[in-house]
Amino acid sequence: MVQVRQSTIIDAPIDDVWSILRDFNGHERWHPAISFSEIEGGDPVDAVGSVRRFRLADGGELREQLLALSDKDFRLAYCLLEAPLPLMGYVASIQLKPVTDGNATFWEWRSEFHPPTHRRDELVKLVSEGIYQAGFAAIRSLLRGRVLTAKARAPTPAPPSAPPLIPSPVSSATTSFGQSATTRAIVVERYGGPEVLQLKEIGLPPPAPNEVRIRHTVIGVNFIDVYCRTGYFDLLQPPGVPGMEAAGVVEAVGSEIAGFSVGDRIAYACPPVGAYTERRNMVPDLLVRLSDDIPDEIAAAGCSRASVRVFCCMISMRCSRAPSFSSMPAPAASASFWCNGHAISAQRSLQRCRATTRRASSNASVPIMSSSTRVRISLRPSCG
């Protein structure tokens, strides 16, 4: 077995380089050795397991399969299925890393395969120079052309006619929110697979008098988002923004809002959809204030799970009162469970539920709740 490893520095941000390389069917648009390429069966270009069939400039045809792809690690791996060359067991990977000194990208392209002994040097040179180094040069040229085009199209800024004004202090509800703005969001233009998710700039109107503006810090991903994206659930009407779980910070409040202030940490897990965005406006009765000991990541991922467990408790036990979460008053900041006359926190209650459920699963004769137990949910506002 031989190993071929080549690396280079691309003078471009890592996101720009990765946006080109992650397209498993995009090499025909930048690599000089490729004249035609297609994904078999119409699979998404970033779907693990998809197979690309492509033709070289000299007429040779090859088939390669995507083995792994990680947007988080900027890495992909693929293998050769069919080729006119004896590259047996060929497996390759691409890895990108940001260069800390400057806005550039380190790119490593490596592979291993079993060549015939008498053609070893020939094939190693073909892979390292004809594929990898040629690819490096092509991407570098492509990105350089984009930069030059962007500079040519950029308008020449007019000289300022007067020094900029310094805004006077105003309330947080109106500071820079008195007019419509934009925010980045994942938009679904039509129902379909993951390929319909597009990052776009969308309009963001100022919050209404009964709304708050939220700056998301963490967005929860749930399988119900897939149902919305495919149209199985009609909660999302294209074009629209999916997502129903998130945590963040209140960035502005409307004139009629009481009980929430700028800087409050909040979370939610409910319709309407629209969490896949940097900022959004919402009515406050859908929000829950977070205490300092609850991280944003836990809140964004745990709200819907907690509500499911609460509902399971209410179904499994005789309940004296069971208000829905959607009726939670706006200033509610804590939820307590009253069990046999004792107040316990929601977290402690769920721990007890899980422990009791585990005991019940190991011994079918153990009742989940005795017949004398009563459970009541009490939602207590913490701000008067």
Side-chain angles (χ1 to χ4, degrees), residues 2-5 78 90-93 109-113 127 132:
V2 299
Q3 293 185 345
V4 178
R5 180 182 301 179
Y78 60 96
Y90 182 94
V91 178
S93 65
W109 202 345
R110 59 188 301 178
S111 63
E112 58 182 37
F113 53 94
V127 171
Y132 297 171

Side-chain angles (χ1 to χ4, degrees), residues 27 43 58 80 142 151 223 248 263 272 334 359:
H27 56 171
D43 291 335
D58 62 3
L80 189 61
L142 175 63
K151 289 182 178 179
F223 201 80
S334 62
R359 291 196 299 269

Side-chain angles (χ1 to χ4, degrees), residues 13 18 32 118 172 182 207 217 329 332 340 356 362 378:
W18 180 243
H118 66 285
S172 298
T182 61
T217 55
N340 290 338
T356 306
S362 61
S378 175

Side-chain angles (χ1 to χ4, degrees), residues 281-297:
N281 301 328
M282 291 188 72
V283 293
D285 56 351
L286 302 173
L287 309 178
V288 176
R289 185 180 291 107
L290 300 178
S291 59
D292 293 338
D293 60 336
I294 301 178
D296 291 357
E297 293 81 358

Side-chain angles (χ1 to χ4, degrees), residues 8-319:
T8 190
I9 300 293
I10 302 294
D11 190 18
I14 189 171
D15 290 330
D16 292 354
V17 182
W18 180 243
S19 66
I20 300 172
L21 297 180
R22 75 180 305 277
D23 184 350
F24 193 54
N25 194 44
H27 56 171
E28 70 170 331
R29 293 189 293 272
W30 54 268
H31 202 290
I34 312 299
S35 63
F36 170 79
S37 180
E38 65 178 1
I39 298 292
E40 296 181 358
D43 291 335
V45 296
D46 57 356
V48 173
S50 62
V51 176
R52 64 183 180 190
R53 180 188 297 273
F54 58 97
R55 185 181 305 113
L56 301 177
D58 62 3
E61 292 194 359
L62 298 86
R63 295 174 68 240
E64 293 176 337
Q65 185 173 37
L66 184 62
L67 301 178
L69 187 148
S70 173
D71 289 326
K72 176 183 177 182
D73 299 327
F74 300 101
R75 182 182 183 276
L76 65 85
Y78 60 96
C79 67
L80 189 61
L81 300 178
E82 297 177 13
L85 299 171
L87 300 170
M88 283 77 74
Y90 182 94
V91 178
S93 65
I94 287 175
Q95 174 75 67
L96 302 183
K97 293 183 180 180
V99 177
T100 55
D101 184 15
N103 197 14
T105 302
F106 172 80
W107 175 4
E108 182 186 68
W109 202 345
R110 59 188 301 178
S111 63
E112 58 182 37
F113 53 94
H114 295 275
T117 303
H118 66 285
R119 298 189 64 182
R120 179 185 183 280
D121 295 340
E122 171 199 351
L123 295 175
V124 167
K125 182 178 180 180
L126 171 66
V127 171
S128 62
E129 298 181 6
I131 299 178
Y132 297 171
Q133 292 183 21
F136 293 156
I139 290 294
R140 189 176 289 111
S141 176
L142 175 63
L143 290 171
R144 187 183 299 116
R146 289 184 178 181
V147 172
L148 293 176
T149 301
K151 289 182 178 179
R153 293 178 178 177
T156 303
S161 57
L165 298 177
I166 302 176
S168 59
V170 294
S171 67
S172 298
T174 57
T175 301
S176 71
F177 296 106
Q179 56 186 358
S180 296
T182 61
T183 186
R184 292 194 304 172
I186 301 296
V187 179
V188 173
E189 298 281 359
R190 55 182 175 82
Y191 293 133
E195 70 277 0
V196 304
L197 299 173
Q198 302 293 326
L199 179 62
K200 295 188 174 183
E201 289 278 344
I202 64 173
L204 180 63
N210 65 332
E211 291 181 330
V212 301
R213 174 171 293 179
I214 304 165
R215 174 176 57 82
H216 289 144
T217 55
V218 179
I219 299 170
V221 178
N222 198 312
F223 201 80
I224 193 174
D225 301 340
V226 177
Y227 290 147
C228 294
R229 187 196 70 217
T230 58
Y232 188 79
F233 288 169
D234 60 357
L235 295 172
L236 184 149
Q237 300 296 326
V241 178
M244 292 189 290
E245 303 174 54
V249 178
V250 175
E251 199 173 55
V253 297
S255 59
E256 299 177 2
I257 297 299
F260 281 93
S261 303
V262 173
D264 285 348
R265 297 175 57 245
I266 57 88
Y268 61 88
C270 57
V273 296
Y276 284 17
T277 181
E278 292 181 342
R279 291 173 171 82
R280 72 178 301 190
N281 301 328
M282 291 188 72
V283 293
D285 56 351
L286 302 173
L287 309 178
V288 176
R289 185 180 291 107
L290 300 178
S291 59
D292 293 338
D293 60 336
I294 301 178
D296 291 357
E297 293 81 358
I298 298 298
C303 277
S304 64
R305 280 82 177 161
S307 63
V308 169
R309 289 185 174 94
V310 171
F311 294 150
C312 288
C313 289
M314 294 192 300
I315 293 172
S316 303
M317 299 173 267
R318 295 164 58 186
C319 300

